Amino acid sequence: MPTLSTVNQFAERNQAFTTGGLRALIFNEHQNGLAKSGAIVRIGRKVLIDDAKFFAWIGDQNQGGAK
C-alpha cells in the first residue's frame, strides 16, 4: 500500500520541501515529468503525493547533473 500525503503533510514530514515549492512542482507537473512519474494522485479536488514515487522522481532529476 503506497503512502499518500497531502501537500501540507508531506511538507511537515520533509522539511526540505515547502508547501509553496511543492504546489509549484504540482502546477507544472506536465512540464517537469512529475505527472509521468505517477507521484501525484488526484481524488476529486484532493491532491495527494505518493511518497515513494515522488522520491524516485527526485532521484531521476539528479541523474543528468554531475559527471
Side-chain angles (χ1 to χ4, degrees), residues 3-23:
T3 300
L4 299 175
S5 309
T6 65
V7 172
N8 289 335
Q9 289 170 336
F10 188 89
E12 284 178 21
R13 279 199 320 275
N14 304 286
Q15 294 185 357
F17 301 97
T18 63
T19 54
L22 289 167
R23 290 185 194 286

Side-chain angles (χ1 to χ4, degrees), residues 1-5 10 13-14 34 37-40 49-60:
M1 177 96 156
T3 300
L4 299 175
S5 309
F10 188 89
R13 279 199 320 275
N14 304 286
L34 192 54
S37 74
I40 305 302
I49 300 171
D50 182 320
D51 292 19
K53 289 181 181 179
F54 183 84
F55 285 115
W57 174 78
I58 291 290
D60 291 343

Side-chain angles (χ1 to χ4, degrees), residues 19-55:
T19 54
L22 289 167
R23 290 185 194 286
L25 289 172
I26 293 167
F27 182 79
N28 294 301
E29 67 182 313
H30 294 289
Q31 289 79 27
N32 61 25
L34 192 54
K36 192 175 183 180
S37 74
I40 305 302
V41 177
R42 286 189 167 78
I43 302 173
R45 292 184 59 182
K46 184 173 276 302
V47 176
L48 301 171
I49 300 171
D50 182 320
D51 292 19
K53 289 181 181 179
F54 183 84
F55 285 115

